[in-house]
Amino acid sequence: MAQITTSTRTLYRRPKLVPTLRKIALYILVAGVSALTIFPIYWMLVSTFQPSKFTLHYPPPLFPQEITFNQFAELFANHPIALWIRNSFLIATMSMLLCTSLTVLGAYALSSLRWKGRSMFGLFLLVTQMLPEILIVIPLYVIYRRLNVLDNLPALSVVDAAFALPVCIWILKGVFDTVPTEVLDAAVVDGCTEIGVLWRIVLPVSAPGLVAVAVVSFFSAWNEFLFAVIMLSSAKFQPASVGLTTLKATGFTPVEQYMAAGLIFSILPVLFYLIMQRYIVTGLTAGAVKG
Amino acid sequence: MSSLADASGTQDRVSPVKPLPRTRRRPHILPYALALPIVLYEIALIVYPIAQGIYGSFQQIELASNSPPTWVGLANYQRMFSDPDFWQVMKTTLIFTVLVIIVAIGTGLMTALLFNRDFRFRSVARAMLMLPWAFPEVPVVMIFVWILSPQFGVVNILARMIPGVTENPQWLQIPILAMGWVVLISSWKAFPFYSLVILAALQSVPQEIYEAAKVDGATPLQLFWHITIPSIRTTLELLVVLASIFSFKQFTIIYLMTGGGPSGATETIVMRIFNTAFRFYDYSYATAFGVAGFIVSLVITFFFISLQSRRAEERA
């Protein structure tokens, strides 16, 4: 009995100090890692909203000394950023519509239908998903040149859709997989066709998955740089991803406008990617890992 | 796990009959009709251009003069293999890829272990950690170009703390520093994704195993090596392969940070293909490099597929 009391006492006493220290260490570590991770983004915000008389100074102050909002108006006045965003928006919308409609077909074929070519089809998607874009850009440039579709927004969006398609199919397949088979069976028994099952049952309950696919296909075209810089050469078709890089080249763009442009470009993709991250991670690992 | 569920009888209650496999319905022409447009689409935009590229690597193409391409056989390949730059580029690619894998997955693993613990504001901290991943590459480069500016860059404050450093370094002009930064920036952008995937794997490890091991007197390090690592091993392997594909493909960050410089220090094969084709307009030679890159990426993809099927078997 006495033995038991001593051991309970030591068990009770020791944890008091150690876990507190551990807890503090944990919080310090978490705070340090988080600060280090988001510092570049913090610095982007500081450099956007602080007048450049503070930023263009060494060493720069680590906390903003003054806040200004003039940079946005100046940015739109000095650079064709509205045109860039319009172009990006057009490319991304076309790519999204094309990619999302093809994705629905592919995901349904992969998820709930049994057929001989199914695993071959999955393998085919996987291989196309893994190929570096640079391998396609040279021959495609030659082909597009021959077809006379360089400097053509729809022609570019078609390429962007091709690269987003495999990831999108994996995302939507994962969502389609969660629809209970019994429900699909019951519908078929009740006289619904397979296409009817897709249209009336699978699609309506997979709305979040469809949103995720739309987000991925829209913003992968929005963010895309390599094909855009090669396929579009005239200024009036320049999308924002390419336009932003010319700001640096001109060299006369004040820092707060330069950073404001980056911020405007990033805000939508960051927001939507964070909201949809669970689905997107599943798609990027080709469904191998559930996010 | 499944035997546990069987023993408790929950499985029997939920579905008395063993559920039929998902893919139970009659074979039909429909799936082929659904898959066909996708296969054709990807063939037109990805497979056909690659085939054209392979074909073009045996030719001399002069785009500027509009003269028809001439057949040159293996000349481009002979040139490539006798080009000392080829092996240099391969080496740079390997160094870059391996460093990004180590830094990005290492950071991902450490942050996942950290964020798997219980603390207040955990969900807020996790969401913040995902920010670099959600950022598009072009603005990421804009931020870092600014941070690394030798004149006003904020990172110089840190560098100046190192004894002996009295001037702001030319971060992207010194080969080893340029490589270091390109690796760091690529890893910064990529690690949240790995962290999230590892975190998901960690959370599927049953807590009872840890409790049992602790009762048996296992130290935290033993818990890590003998329980944590083996349970997330397939996930880690899969991520290593995935990371090697992602960093092998990396173009935008390197192109906009260094363009492959200084003097080729960050010129991976992807950068080399781009520079050969669009800076020196040597399309045919670039396609030969492209074929080399194609073979490398096929090999990595093969590893991914075999790992993935092994994982699927383990699950079944």
Side-chain angles (χ1 to χ4, degrees):
Chain A
M1 194 61 205
Q3 255 179 340
I4 292 170
T5 13
T6 25
S7 67
T8 1
R9 227 176 54 203
T10 42
L11 266 179
Y12 187 73
R13 235 193 340 354
R14 274 191 57 214
K16 239 182 172 174
L17 184 66
V18 175
T20 322
L21 280 179
R22 268 205 193 150
K23 203 94 198 166
I24 292 171
L26 176 67
Y27 278 102
I28 292 174
L29 217 58
V30 167
V33 166
S34 309
L36 215 62
T37 306
I38 60 160
F39 181 79
I41 295 158
Y42 165 77
W43 199 243
M44 181 196 207
L45 294 174
V46 170
S47 307
T48 303
F49 291 106
Q50 184 170 243
S52 42
K53 62 175 175 184
F54 297 103
T55 328
L56 296 177
H57 177 272
Y58 187 84
L62 286 178
F63 300 97
Q65 307 292 305
E66 221 178 280
I67 297 288
T68 169
F69 291 97
N70 298 332
Q71 67 283 67
F72 292 101
E74 283 167 23
L75 177 68
F76 278 90
N78 298 337
H79 300 280
I81 188 154
L83 175 75
W84 296 342
I85 290 177
R86 187 199 77 118
N87 288 338
S88 287
F89 194 82
L90 285 177
I91 298 167
T93 308
M94 286 186 278
S95 177
M96 175 185 79
L97 293 175
L98 193 57
C99 183
T100 308
S101 34
L102 284 173
T103 297
V104 172
L105 309 182
Y108 191 55
L110 263 187
S111 170
S112 37
L113 300 170
R114 175 174 35 185
W115 47 300
K116 281 210 181 84
R118 202 171 79 120
S119 56
M120 272 308 288
F121 180 53
L123 208 64
F124 174 76
L125 289 177
L126 211 58
V127 173
T128 50
Q129 180 182 356
M130 300 302 177
L131 290 175
E133 292 81 349
I134 193 82
L135 303 180
I136 287 91
V137 76
I138 302 169
L140 200 64
Y141 174 78
V142 176
I143 294 166
Y144 269 27
R145 199 168 175 273
R146 205 166 52 215
L147 297 175
N148 211 10
V149 287
L150 289 172
D151 248 346
N152 182 311
L153 297 185
L156 178 68
S157 70
V158 164
V159 189
D160 290 340
F163 275 94
L165 191 54
V167 177
C168 289
I169 291 179
W170 295 119
I171 294 174
L172 201 60
K173 177 204 178 275
V175 178
F176 282 0
D177 279 349
T178 60
V179 182
T181 328
E182 291 78 10
V183 177
L184 308 183
D185 282 337
V188 174
V189 170
D190 288 348
C192 200
T193 60
E194 293 285 1
I195 283 289
V197 171
L198 169 65
W199 193 247
R200 298 216 182 92
I201 298 165
V202 178
L203 273 185
V205 300
S206 307
L210 274 178
V211 174
V213 165
V215 164
V216 169
S217 52
F218 186 90
F219 287 110
S220 61
W222 175 273
N223 296 346
E224 206 284 323
F225 175 76
L226 174 59
F227 285 102
V229 80
I230 294 299
M231 305 291 186
L232 306 172
S233 54
S234 68
K236 67 173 176 185
F237 289 129
Q238 218 161 42
S241 62
V242 179
L244 288 184
T245 61
T246 65
L247 288 181
K248 192 185 71 174
T250 53
F252 295 108
T253 315
V255 173
E256 68 271 32
Q257 288 180 35
Y258 176 62
M259 284 294 145
L263 192 63
I264 292 170
F265 180 70
S266 316
I267 207 137
L268 286 178
V270 169
L271 216 65
F272 279 101
Y273 270 58
L274 288 184
I275 296 170
M276 287 291 146
Q277 57 167 272
R278 209 163 50 84
Y279 296 96
I280 300 171
V281 167
T282 326
L284 282 172
T285 54
V289 178
K290 299 280 174 214
Chain B
M1 269 306 268
S2 62
S3 62
L4 263 178
D6 284 339
S8 62
T10 39
Q11 200 146 42
D12 292 73
R13 204 157 11 102
V14 175
S15 52
V17 191
K18 196 171 182 286
L20 291 162
R22 274 201 66 79
T23 52
R24 77 275 120 31
R25 274 172 283 161
R26 61 197 177 278
H28 210 278
I29 195 137
L30 180 72
Y32 297 94
L34 292 175
L36 190 68
I38 293 160
V39 173
L40 289 180
Y41 190 80
E42 297 290 299
I43 284 179
L45 282 142
I46 294 177
V47 180
Y48 174 68
I50 285 192
Q52 276 283 304
I54 295 172
Y55 183 66
S57 70
F58 298 106
Q59 293 178 320
Q60 188 60 40
I61 308 165
E62 301 292 344
L63 272 188
S65 64
N66 266 330
S67 56
T70 46
W71 187 262
V72 295
L74 292 169
N76 285 317
Y77 291 96
Q78 271 164 2
R79 186 177 153 202
M80 184 171 77
F81 285 117
S82 56
D83 189 346
D85 279 7
F86 174 73
W87 301 106
Q88 186 55 46
V89 165
M90 282 301 201
K91 204 177 114 191
T92 311
T93 309
L94 188 70
I95 293 173
F96 173 78
T97 308
V98 170
L99 284 178
V100 172
I101 292 171
I102 293 171
V103 176
I105 295 191
T107 317
L109 177 62
M110 283 189 291
T111 48
L113 289 170
L114 187 64
F115 282 64
N116 194 30
R117 293 177 169 271
D118 225 3
F119 54 87
R120 260 211 266 180
F121 312 117
R122 185 164 72 165
S123 48
V124 179
R126 272 187 194 166
M128 259 176 15
L129 198 72
M130 288 309 287
L131 271 171
W133 168 76
F135 257 78
E137 283 171 327
V138 173
V140 162
V141 172
M142 294 169 78
I143 298 173
F144 278 96
V145 164
W146 169 234
I147 285 179
L148 296 173
S149 149
Q151 260 182 302
F152 306 111
V154 67
V155 81
N156 294 304
I157 298 177
L158 265 180
R160 292 279 197 101
M161 287 177 182
I162 303 166
V165 180
T166 50
E167 267 176 51
N168 294 349
Q170 296 283 329
W171 292 111
L172 299 174
Q173 299 306 317
I174 300 164
I176 191 163
L177 289 181
M179 176 57 112
W181 278 111
V182 178
V183 167
L184 268 184
I185 297 164
S186 309
S187 308
W188 178 77
K189 172 104 182 64
F191 92 87
F193 170 73
Y194 304 128
S195 184
L196 193 75
V197 174
I198 296 171
L199 196 61
L202 284 176
Q203 283 172 344
S204 66
V205 183
Q207 284 304 306
E208 299 85 58
I209 306 182
Y210 285 103
E211 298 304 328
K214 272 188 207 159
V215 169
D216 291 343
T219 63
L221 204 66
Q222 281 175 322
L223 292 180
F224 178 73
W225 279 117
H226 297 292
I227 298 175
T228 309
I229 290 293
S231 352
I232 60 170
R233 202 184 142 156
T234 31
T235 302
L236 285 179
E237 286 172 348
L238 208 71
L239 286 184
V240 167
V241 180
L242 214 53
S244 61
I245 295 172
F246 288 161
S247 49
F248 181 76
K249 281 164 88 163
Q250 180 55 256
F251 170 77
T252 311
I253 291 177
I254 303 180
Y255 173 69
L256 292 174
M257 288 304 295
T258 67
S263 54
T266 55
E267 193 171 36
T268 60
I269 190 159
V270 166
M271 273 313 305
R272 181 56 170 231
I273 296 169
F274 183 89
N275 285 338
T276 311
F278 299 108
R279 270 178 65 193
F280 306 116
Y281 302 105
D282 200 345
Y283 292 97
S284 322
Y285 194 36
T287 50
F289 269 93
V291 171
F294 176 61
I295 292 168
V296 175
S297 48
L298 274 190
V299 170
I300 311 176
T301 308
F302 171 77
F303 272 108
F304 180 79
I305 291 167
S306 59
L307 268 178
Q308 206 199 26
S309 54
R310 212 179 76 199
R311 210 180 134 87
E313 273 169 29
E314 274 173 27
R315 280 211 182 149

